[in-house]
Amino acid sequence: MLTQDQITDIFARVRKFSSTEEVELIVSGGQTALTRFANNVIHQNVAEENYVVSVRTVSDHKTARSTTNKLDDDSLRHAVEAAQAMARVQHADEDLLPMAAAAPASATPAQEAHNRFFDSTAGLDAGARAEVVARIVRRAKLHELITAGIVSTSNQVEAIVNSRGLNVLHRQTSAEVSITMLAGDSSGWQKANSPDFSALDPDHLAEVAARKALESAGPRELPAGRYPVVLEPSAVLDLVGFMFADFGGMAVLDQRSFLTGRLGAKVFGDNISIFDDAYHPLQSGAPFDGEGVPRRRIHLVDRGVARNLVYARATAEKMKRAHPALAASIHPTGHGFPLPNEIGEGPMNIVFENPGPAVPLEQMIASMERGVLVTRLWYIREVEPYEKILTGMTRDGTFYVEDGKIQYGIRNFRFNQGLVELLNGVEQMSEPVRASGEESFDMVVPAMKVGSFNFTEVTKF
């Protein structure tokens, strides 16, 4: 993995090749390794080490960026020259701010980032990953099932250095296990991700996926309609993930956010409180944004009230001009993306807070008179942006619940469901956990029991 000294050397060479007023270097990459299995055997094992160097130049209020994954002088010189050439043909942006300077100690968040680099995860080799797969396959064979999935690890570095003295670096490991268990007409799924491989339990994930495949065998058809539901954390994550881009200041300024006209108003139920918190022990990622600004813990939703937005540096200035009466309360929050971009910012470290009491998933099911248990969702798309109406399908473990017990597996549903309505109808929540899905980034979310969920169509599988 690239060291701080090596990255400093790369920036020194980039700066030497640049003739512009300001120059910025972003370095990201590292080592990744993946073992993929299907039909109860490993069929792919890959590993690579790669670093992407991204150079941004600024001159006369014009900026552009160029990238390379080669670190020799000729390649770095070409990247700098390409960025400068592209910048020259841009229109001047009078709102373009100087690059971020190093933040004084007094301006950095009080929270300290948790350790997110684990030598044991970085050192997990192909043989160790194969042994994990072997344990998963043994579970599948024990239940006469077929399994497929991945076991992957990585160690990554992210660094931002610029000509105004900014120099920040973050190192992190990541481990992921994804398992699908297949029966003749049913399936079960589980997935987990963590910076620390020892925090994962592949045997438990495999057993839960196998149980879902077995218990949903011979799925019956339940009529479409509105049902009470219990959504497991992965299903919650992939639904709510569609609304967080709307918490960016630029989205509100452009009036493309569902929070337009709703900021400061009660949008969700009293039991919904949401933070963006890069320092939460279950979160991951760098403690700085795409411009190198320290991330701050932001209370996005407070007991149903849309309380705050996140801001990149330029968006904060635009919001102050648009709302001068609020200028004193608007500040960059450390949620900007690398410039130039058309998005602005977004919260990427979502944490739901359960005001309590936390209700375990099993108790939610036991409290349900009649309804549906959903393991996860897929192929989700936004239908209507203001109420955040989404459509998609259930998958890999959908069950009919009656009198507090899972009765049988059911054929999957297509749904059309508004997120605003959903988060006004949450009756119970579990303890929030780090959850993984397929449609959104990992979050810390609870399972949810919701009074009504709109299933519009029954599938044939």
Side-chain angles (χ1 to χ4, degrees):
M1 177 179 289
L2 289 177
T3 66
Q4 178 74 73
D5 287 345
Q6 289 172 311
I7 291 169
T8 300
D9 173 70
I10 293 170
F11 178 71
R13 287 185 283 152
V14 164
R15 192 169 189 181
K16 179 178 67 175
F17 301 142
S18 173
S19 60
T20 56
E21 299 163 5
E22 295 184 320
V23 62
E24 172 191 86
L25 174 74
I26 297 180
V27 177
S28 60
Q31 299 165 329
T32 60
L34 177 145
T35 299
R36 191 184 302 275
F37 56 98
N39 296 317
N40 290 354
V41 297
I42 292 173
H43 68 93
Q44 184 183 42
N45 186 72
V46 295
E48 71 172 18
E49 183 171 6
N50 185 50
Y51 300 93
V52 174
V53 171
S54 177
V55 177
R56 180 168 74 97
T57 63
V58 175
S59 184
D60 298 327
H61 291 278
K62 300 177 180 181
T63 189
R65 182 180 295 280
S66 179
T67 62
T68 180
N69 66 346
K70 296 181 178 181
L71 308 182
D72 60 277
D73 281 359
D74 285 344
S75 298
L76 294 176
R77 181 185 292 105
H78 178 75
V80 171
E81 291 173 351
Q84 293 177 161
M86 287 187 288
R88 282 194 293 270
V89 299
Q90 303 298 314
H91 292 290
D93 180 2
E94 298 303 324
D95 292 328
L96 184 67
L97 299 176
M99 290 181 179
S106 59
T108 58
Q111 304 97 327
E112 290 187 5
H114 291 261
N115 175 41
R116 288 174 180 159
F117 190 97
F118 294 84
D119 291 332
S120 56
T121 301
L124 203 73
D125 61 16
R129 294 194 304 276
E131 175 53 35
V132 173
V133 174
R135 286 155 43 196
I136 295 169
V137 169
R138 282 196 290 270
R139 294 268 177 174
K141 290 181 175 179
L142 178 66
H143 296 294
E144 299 182 337
L145 298 171
I146 295 173
T147 188
I150 64 166
V151 177
S152 68
T153 57
S154 69
N155 56 85
Q156 303 286 313
V157 63
E158 181 177 348
I160 305 177
V161 190
N162 71 26
S163 52
R164 299 196 69 212
L166 179 75
N167 192 335
V168 291
L169 179 143
H170 174 71
R171 298 168 69 242
Q172 176 172 312
T173 51
S174 179
E176 184 169 290
V177 176
S178 178
I179 303 169
T180 300
M181 292 283 184
L182 300 168
D185 57 3
S186 61
S187 60
W189 172 90
Q190 290 289 279
K191 181 180 180 182
N193 176 289
S194 173
D196 181 7
F197 188 84
S198 68
L200 307 181
D201 189 344
D203 296 282
H204 175 71
L205 295 173
E207 186 61 29
V208 172
R211 177 172 51 79
K212 287 180 178 290
L214 293 169
E215 293 180 357
S216 61
R220 307 182 194 181
E221 186 170 313
L222 198 67
R226 284 190 168 271
Y227 292 90
V229 294
V230 171
L231 302 171
E232 295 196 11
S234 293
V236 172
L237 173 149
D238 277 337
L239 285 170
V240 301
F242 277 78
M243 71 178 181
F244 289 113
D246 293 36
F247 280 84
M250 184 66 72
V252 172
L253 282 171
D254 291 345
Q255 298 188 6
R256 52 184 167 84
S257 167
F258 83 103
L259 295 175
T260 304
R262 285 172 164 166
L263 198 60
K266 194 167 186 301
V267 182
F268 307 129
D270 291 339
N271 56 354
I272 303 300
S273 288
I274 307 171
F275 293 84
D276 184 89
D277 185 5
Y279 307 94
H280 190 280
L282 295 180
Q283 270 294 352
S284 66
F288 51 84
D289 71 2
E291 295 183 79
V293 178
R295 296 190 185 277
R296 297 187 176 276
R297 185 176 187 265
I298 303 297
H299 201 167
L300 300 173
V301 178
D302 179 15
R303 290 168 293 182
V305 177
R307 190 66 69 191
N308 292 296
L309 303 174
V310 298
Y311 297 101
R313 297 164 62 241
T315 307
E317 294 303 313
K318 291 177 182 177
M319 186 66 80
K320 289 176 183 178
R321 292 197 296 270
H323 301 280
L326 303 175
S329 63
I330 298 171
H331 307 281
T333 60
H335 294 84
F337 298 123
L339 296 174
N341 72 74
E342 297 178 350
I343 302 170
E345 59 280 301
M348 301 296 292
N349 294 96
I350 298 301
V351 177
F352 274 67
E353 183 181 78
N354 185 355
V359 180
L361 181 69
E362 295 75 14
Q363 289 185 24
M364 291 185 195
I365 296 169
S367 70
M368 182 176 283
E369 183 177 338
R370 179 175 177 268
V372 175
L373 169 64
V374 177
T375 297
R376 75 170 180 125
L377 305 166
W378 73 302
Y379 215 78
I380 305 172
R381 298 293 183 268
E382 187 174 272
V383 176
E384 192 277 331
Y386 196 65
E387 296 301 318
K388 305 305 287 186
I389 296 175
L390 307 176
T391 189
M393 299 172 66
T394 65
R395 180 173 180 171
D396 295 325
T398 310
F399 299 91
Y400 176 64
V401 177
E402 189 171 6
D403 296 330
K405 295 181 179 179
I406 294 175
Q407 300 296 323
Y408 46 78
I410 57 177
R411 294 188 185 277
N412 288 299
F413 285 114
R414 173 167 290 281
F415 64 86
N416 271 46
Q417 176 63 49
L419 276 179
V420 174
E421 178 193 39
L422 178 84
L423 294 178
N424 273 288
V426 177
E427 298 174 354
Q428 295 176 334
M429 289 188 288
S430 70
E431 187 70 26
V433 297
R434 180 175 174 85
S436 298
E438 300 291 351
E439 303 278 345
S440 189
F441 52 90
D442 286 10
M443 302 177 194
V444 180
V445 296
M448 292 181 176
K449 181 184 177 185
V450 181
S452 178
F453 196 92
N454 187 31
F455 295 113
T456 56
E457 188 177 354
V458 183
T459 73
K460 298 302 179 184
F461 58 95

